[in-house]
Amino acid sequence: MKEHAETTMPALSRRAFVGTAAVTAGAVAATSLVGCGSTGGKKTDKQEEAAADPYEGAQIFYSTCPPECQHHNLKAYVIDGKIAKVESSELNDCAACARGIARGFMTKDPDRLTKPLLRTGDKGSGEFKEIEWSEAFDLIQEKFQDAIDTDGVHSICYVTGSGNFGAMHGPIASAFFAHLGGASTTVGSLCCAGTSAAEVPIYGQRFLDTRNQIEKSNYVIAWGNNPAISKQGYFQRFEKMMENGGKFVVIDPICTESAAKASEWIQPWPGTDAALALAMIKIVIDEDLFDKEFTLAHTCAPCLVDKTTGEPVLQDKDDPTSFVVFDTKSNEIVRHDKEGIEAALKLDGTSAAEQYNTEFELIYAEAEKWDSAAAEAECGVPAADIERIAREYAQADKAMIIQNMGGFMRTENGTNAVGTQLYLAALCGHVGHEGDGISDAGGVNEVKTGSPIEVPKVEDPAPSIPRFKFGEAILNENPLKVNVLYSMTGNPMTQWPNTNMVKKALEKIPFVITADQYLTSTALYSDLVLPVTGVFETEGVLANHRSHWIQLCEKAVDGPGESKSDFEIFSELATRFGFGDAFSKPMDEMISNVLEPTGVTLDELKEKHAVCVVDDNYIPFKDGEFKTKSKKAEFWVAAWKKDGFNPIATYARAEEDARNGDELAQKYPLFSVQRKTYRSVHSTFNNLEWMNEVCDQAPVILINTADAEARGIKDGDKVVVFNDRGEHHGIAEVGERIKQGVVGLQNGWWEQQGGSSSYVTNDKWKTLGGTHCCNQTLIEVKKEA
Ligand SMILES: Nc1nc2c(c(=O)[nH]1)N[C@H]1C(S)=C(S)[C@@H](COP(=O)(O)OP(=O)(O)OC[C@H]3O[C@@H](n4cnc5c(=O)[nH]c(N)nc54)[C@H](O)[C@@H]3O)O[C@H]1N2
Ligand SMILES: Nc1nc2c(c(=O)[nH]1)N[C@H]1C(S)=C(S)[C@@H](COP(=O)(O)OP(=O)(O)OC[C@H]3O[C@@H](n4cnc5c(=O)[nH]c(N)nc54)[C@H](O)[C@@H]3O)O[C@H]1N2
Ligand code: SF4
Ligand SMILES: [Mo]
């Protein structure tokens, strides 16, 4: 596997590395493709003259860094057919991070896969032999065909992850497996199910981020997320906001890189954010600090819900926008959007009170349970702080809640937490204007894109396998039996919860195929590993809502050895399975298909490399116009009720909580939370030697001084975190950076590096909205024996 090794990249000293990458975990300075009109990064003529350019004459190529991150635009300098340098392209306002720059190194990394590998030892042993592609394709064809013949096409399961948001990856896989007749796949988002389940019904759409407004805000709450690391590309906007006199509050059990720079750090117990938000709602309503005008004009707060049916009342049952309100002028029930009315937020004393509630009253009934004393007890945040931040937020001229795709969503109450924050923002009128809003860093989804090739309709769709219970599903063959698994762009063995169960599943499935650039943790448990090409080795387009740009992915060099792109792999398989010319489209045509609905042409993209599709001053839900059918924020959620949950966002203590006093809490009395690191995007990049220069080289386990002392653990000790699900090993960092009673675990470490923190994470299914509960995990820690 290593014979092609030719690492021309100079070994970087720590200092040189930091200089090149422009950022370190602690000193965050970079920005991303966010301000579309940027000219940053250009040298003056004098500087150009002073330094002889070692890259003069190099061929230049542009591409993007495509994992679930910020999609920086990258520029490669090719000399003698090799990438001599990758830098952040001039289209970004500032440098891409060290991981993005590592894309150059990755084209020459001796650890890259170069040929298909067939397992020769036990799964997990790492024993493989190299085989030819023809043999690999024969095997895949044979295994797919056997599976179809014995148990039907549903017994082929394919899973994708967040490794590449380019259009020639996930969409192509969907098209291939649809052509095959409809293979099965998994259901459940590891990431941000909470936003989808709350923001889509309540505000009408998600993926509308406020990143372009941060600098203009006066008050920003980063609620359960760490933009200094996870959104470092525009963290400088938060700093600018503070320089302008604004306040930055971070709500997180860990004093993160963001909290360290913030005006204030609030430390709640994990998973209690919905109670905290409800307590804030109670204060702003009790003290009349909410924005009554906005609430009446732009939300369904006054809309009536029938006490008997528990459903919102519609004037016309066939018109889902025909909500009614009680008009205090006429004392009549009228349509919510009738001109000249004065809708009641509270019905007491009116003739409607007996039969109806308003949505506002239902929200208040939830909030009332969380007065600041009750919230202090539940959330572990002093009542005075809760009251103060509620008042400050409501009274700020321009106030913003940053949700990103935060850690608080990956809890049992994640959807409720998002929902209550959406209520709070709408009631305070902090949506739809300059400097305010709720930021779902999922990006901006205003521009629709097309599919590179047609995805046929599947006549007989397979039942979905719950991703969080993958192990149980496979072992019990429920809802179906899986004979072949095809995994690409993801790393289940490090990212899916309860790794031991995932491992058992991979061991049981007769034929597991992983397509990746490296021998990942999942590849290690596979029968066949396919080497795929990477950034600057693959043509394509990235036109995804995660960033504000559509970017062309140019191929600068061949991939190492015999690596093939995902598209080439499916294209060959399509030929073998006789799908006609469905997969033999020229790349330009496929890219044009993706671009078609956007209005951007391929010629334009070739000329400019990347095109920004979002206005510099973009404001989501501008002027309070929500994307729901009624154009108002609809607080009562039918889908939640249908699934057996409260239709109004609520809070109840989670099943896995250290205060429950049950057997589990006695055995494992510490909460644990996950955090992303500078070293990786999930497991991607974590294996790179390149990252050792500036990052932790082993998993760090953050533990509070008192908790460490109680267990005889000292800073720097080797420790093991454990529960009934498994163990995660690392090095203790002892101090006050973390709330007492909570332990901080890092995301993304490989099996080959000692194993992922997912060995202990909660695999609960199904919560409201189907949230991933990795941050709702109880553990114990001990010194390594
Ligand atoms: N460098 C880097 N950047 C990334 C990624 C990466 O892996 N590495 N991943 C990308 C992706 S896919 C995502 S989803 C985003 C995620 O971005 P973030 O949400 O910012 O990332 P996390 O580190 O998961 O979580 C942030 C914080 O949530 C806190 N937290 C955990 N549980 C709770 C809770 O119940 N309540 C509160 N208030 N806080 C809690 C944790 O202590 C942690 O500090 O980042 C994106 N950007
Ligand atoms: N313990 C724990 N678990 C978590 C989280 C956590 O914080 N802690 N966070 C959760 C979140 S928010 C998310 S989004 C998920 C992410 O989980 P995953 O989507 O599984 O993310 P990665 O681990 O980055 O896996 C991406 C893989 O795709 C590969 N890849 C990159 N480009 C290509 C390509 O072009 N083709 C192919 N075939 N492969 C490619 C990469 O090499 C890498 O192995 O993890 C979730 N799981
Ligand atoms: S890893 Fe993320 S922040 Fe770094 S260059 Fe890539 S997209 Fe940008
Ligand atoms: Mo994510």
Side-chain angles (χ1 to χ4, degrees):
M1 243 184 299
K2 295 205 177 192
E3 75 276 13
H4 71 289
E6 208 178 311
T7 316
T8 51
M9 190 70 64
L12 287 175
S13 74
R14 179 170 284 247
R15 199 184 311 145
F17 183 86
V18 172
T20 313
V23 270
T24 69
V28 180
T31 66
S32 75
L33 268 173
V34 279
C36 298
S38 150
T39 53
K42 287 216 172 118
K43 286 189 185 133
T44 64
D45 290 347
K46 278 206 178 120
Q47 280 170 318
E48 295 279 8
E49 273 168 34
D53 183 359
Y55 303 104
E56 207 185 315
Q59 273 182 291
I60 307 289
F61 296 88
Y62 288 80
S63 189
T64 181
C65 187
E68 185 158 26
C69 201
Q70 290 142 86
H71 300 163
H72 274 99
N73 195 254
L74 301 175
K75 185 173 179 180
Y77 293 72
V78 173
I79 300 175
D80 297 334
K82 293 197 177 67
I83 294 187
K85 175 172 83 162
V86 166
E87 66 181 15
S88 184
S89 98
E90 65 281 3
L91 297 168
N92 306 304
D93 337 22
C94 191
C97 79
R99 303 180 298 274
I101 304 301
R103 296 288 183 184
F105 167 75
M106 288 166 83
T107 62
K108 304 170 225 176
D109 185 352
D111 287 340
R112 283 284 298 277
L113 297 170
T114 56
K115 278 190 85 124
L117 298 179
L118 186 65
R119 182 170 66 82
T120 52
D122 288 341
K123 283 189 182 170
S125 66
E127 290 166 30
F128 292 93
K129 67 170 183 186
E130 290 184 347
I131 59 169
E132 299 304 321
W133 271 105
S134 54
E135 205 183 325
F137 282 126
D138 287 348
L139 261 171
I140 301 173
Q141 193 180 355
E142 179 197 317
K143 298 292 177 184
F144 278 2
Q145 196 58 55
D146 278 357
I148 294 169
D149 293 345
T150 49
D151 294 292
V153 67
H154 294 177
S155 73
I156 300 169
C157 176
Y158 78 101
V159 292
T160 56
S162 64
N164 196 324
F165 274 63
M168 304 303 155
H169 306 273
I172 294 287
S174 305
F176 174 81
F177 288 107
H179 271 282
L180 201 60
S184 55
T185 188
T186 54
V187 63
S189 160
L190 298 161
C191 181
C192 39
T195 335
S196 304
E199 190 164 6
V200 173
I202 297 173
Y203 282 10
Q205 193 176 314
R206 70 165 292 203
F207 299 126
L208 301 169
D209 75 34
T210 62
R211 72 180 77 168
N212 288 0
Q213 296 299 325
I214 294 168
E215 276 172 64
K216 296 176 197 146
S217 193
N218 313 116
Y219 196 84
V220 175
I221 303 179
W223 202 318
N225 62 90
N226 183 15
I229 289 291
S230 63
K231 298 290 171 286
Q232 66 188 61
Y234 51 90
F235 190 69
Q236 91 288 354
R237 295 180 174 211
F238 292 79
E239 296 182 303
K240 196 79 196 293
M241 182 271 304
M242 282 189 282
E243 276 165 32
N244 294 341
K247 188 164 175 182
F248 178 38
V249 179
V250 171
I251 304 181
D252 195 309
I254 297 178
C255 183
T256 56
E257 293 79 355
S258 307
K261 296 205 164 199
S263 327
E264 184 162 2
W265 171 38
I266 303 278
Q267 317 170 39
W269 289 115
T272 61
D273 303 273
L276 187 60
L278 286 168
M280 290 169 71
I281 290 172
K282 178 170 181 337
I283 291 155
V284 302
I285 292 178
D286 286 348
E287 299 183 9
D288 218 13
L289 301 175
F290 69 103
D291 185 338
K292 194 169 174 197
E293 205 180 311
F294 185 94
T295 299
L296 286 173
H298 300 292
T299 82
C300 283
C303 295
L304 302 187
V305 177
D306 192 314
K307 286 183 180 171
T308 323
T309 62
E311 304 269 335
V313 185
L314 296 175
Q315 196 179 64
D316 168 0
K317 70 173 175 31
D318 296 324
D319 176 0
T321 69
S322 65
F323 299 116
V324 297
V325 297
F326 184 81
D327 174 24
T328 55
K329 274 194 193 159
S330 61
N331 283 337
E332 279 176 5
I333 292 175
V334 296
R335 254 186 86 114
H336 70 101
D337 46 6
K338 189 171 178 207
E339 294 283 315
I341 57 165
E342 238 169 58
L345 284 171
K346 294 187 206 158
L347 298 176
D348 18 315
T350 73
S351 55
E354 201 172 316
Q355 200 182 339
Y356 306 105
N357 281 127
T358 62
E359 292 188 12
F360 184 84
E361 287 173 326
L362 294 176
I363 292 175
Y364 189 74
E366 293 299 333
E368 216 175 6
K369 300 173 195 164
W370 302 104
D371 63 30
S372 19
E376 170 171 329
E378 185 59 26
C379 309
V381 177
D385 288 344
I386 301 175
E387 288 163 15
R388 188 174 38 75
I389 59 166
R391 291 177 192 131
E392 285 174 358
Y393 172 77
Q395 289 176 312
D397 184 19
K398 298 166 182 177
M400 187 181 288
I401 295 174
I402 306 287
Q403 292 179 329
N404 282 341
M405 298 173 287
F408 72 98
M409 286 179 206
R410 291 180 279 288
T411 64
E412 196 172 319
N413 275 299
T415 302
N416 280 313
V418 176
T420 49
Q421 290 168 13
L422 297 172
Y423 292 175
L424 178 65
L427 291 172
C428 291
H430 284 321
V431 186
H433 318 108
E434 198 172 77
D436 74 10
I438 289 254
S439 198
D440 160 17
V444 172
N445 202 10
E446 299 276 25
V447 180
K448 300 287 170 251
T449 53
S451 180
I453 62 174
E454 210 179 311
V455 182
K457 191 172 176 291
V458 172
E459 293 305 330
D460 174 27
S464 298
I465 303 170
R467 183 170 281 205
F468 308 141
K469 291 287 182 195
F470 188 71
E472 272 175 51
I474 296 300
L475 297 184
N476 300 331
E477 299 184 359
N478 179 14
L480 44 79
K481 184 178 172 202
V482 173
N483 293 322
V484 187
L485 179 74
Y486 191 100
S487 171
M488 61 182 278
T489 59
N491 199 354
M493 270 292 294
T494 60
Q495 301 310 119
W496 295 11
N498 199 347
T499 308
N500 277 315
M501 289 301 288
V502 177
K503 192 187 283 183
K504 281 188 184 148
L506 297 179
E507 281 166 349
K508 174 173 164 145
I509 297 171
F511 200 69
V512 177
I513 306 161
T514 292
D516 210 299
Q517 288 138 5
Y518 288 95
L519 191 71
T520 61
S521 310
T522 305
L524 205 58
Y525 284 84
S526 301
D527 297 275
L528 180 65
V529 184
L530 306 176
V532 300
T533 54
V535 173
F536 288 119
E537 302 160 1
T538 321
E539 270 186 290
V541 65
L542 183 136
N544 185 275
H545 44 259
R546 279 290 184 279
S547 73
H548 292 183
W549 292 69
I550 292 177
Q551 301 175 62
L552 193 64
C553 309
E554 292 179 340
K555 179 174 168 174
V557 293
D558 287 333
E562 296 175 16
S563 54
K564 288 186 190 292
S565 70
D566 293 296
F567 175 73
E568 285 169 325
I569 295 171
F570 286 123
S571 185
E572 169 66 24
L573 289 172
T575 308
R576 285 171 172 249
F577 278 94
F579 300 160
D581 61 1
F583 284 75
S584 41
K585 304 256 177 290
M587 185 53 72
D588 277 7
E589 186 183 325
M590 293 194 293
I591 295 177
S592 296
N593 290 344
V594 173
L595 295 177
E596 212 267 323
T598 69
V600 176
T601 64
L602 180 56
D603 285 343
E604 187 183 0
L605 203 55
K606 282 185 173 164
E607 184 197 325
K608 297 180 179 161
H609 316 297
V611 176
C612 183
V613 289
V614 177
D615 197 286
D616 265 356
N617 194 31
Y618 175 72
I619 298 174
F621 310 109
K622 196 155 191 295
D623 301 326
E625 187 163 313
F626 291 91
K627 306 265 182 179
T628 53
K629 287 202 176 117
S630 67
K631 297 198 164 58
K632 292 185 174 178
E634 298 180 5
F635 298 137
W636 190 97
V637 182
W640 298 355
K641 190 171 181 222
K642 202 163 150 249
D643 276 357
F645 294 92
N646 201 18
I648 290 286
T650 181
Y651 173 80
R653 174 83 64 81
E655 199 175 76
E656 195 157 329
D657 185 296
R659 286 96 38 92
N660 282 348
D662 54 3
E663 209 185 309
L664 187 76
Q666 274 165 20
K667 209 165 156 193
Y668 303 115
L670 297 169
F671 288 90
S672 68
V673 288
Q674 300 283 323
R675 59 191 176 119
K676 300 335 185 214
T677 65
Y678 184 75
R679 188 178 172 106
S680 68
V681 178
H682 311 298
S683 70
T684 308
F685 306 106
N686 214 63
N687 58 318
L688 300 186
E689 255 175 54
W690 171 275
M691 298 311 294
N692 285 344
E693 295 279 346
V694 281
C695 295
D696 298 324
Q697 296 186 23
V700 170
I701 290 166
L702 267 185
I703 179 163
N704 181 275
T705 313
D707 295 324
E709 275 172 6
R711 291 162 178 79
I713 293 170
K714 287 197 232 26
D715 191 56
D717 278 351
K718 282 188 180 167
V719 291
V720 51
V721 169
F722 61 99
N723 59 21
D724 289 345
R725 300 185 187 100
E727 291 183 352
H728 171 63
H729 303 261
I731 309 291
E733 181 184 326
V734 176
E736 302 305 316
R737 261 189 78 190
I738 185 154
K739 185 180 178 75
Q740 188 179 339
V742 186
V743 170
L745 308 179
Q746 293 179 328
N747 174 38
W749 292 94
W750 290 35
E751 194 70 2
Q752 297 91 325
Q753 295 171 312
S756 148
S757 53
S758 300
Y759 269 101
V760 294
T761 53
N762 190 345
D763 55 357
K764 187 179 167 86
W765 174 260
K766 182 188 175 199
T767 63
L768 173 63
T771 52
H772 176 194
C773 294
C774 62
N775 290 320
Q776 199 94 61
T777 295
L778 295 185
I779 50 116
E780 182 50 281
V781 194
K782 64 180 178 200
K783 251 173 95 156
E784 197 84 68

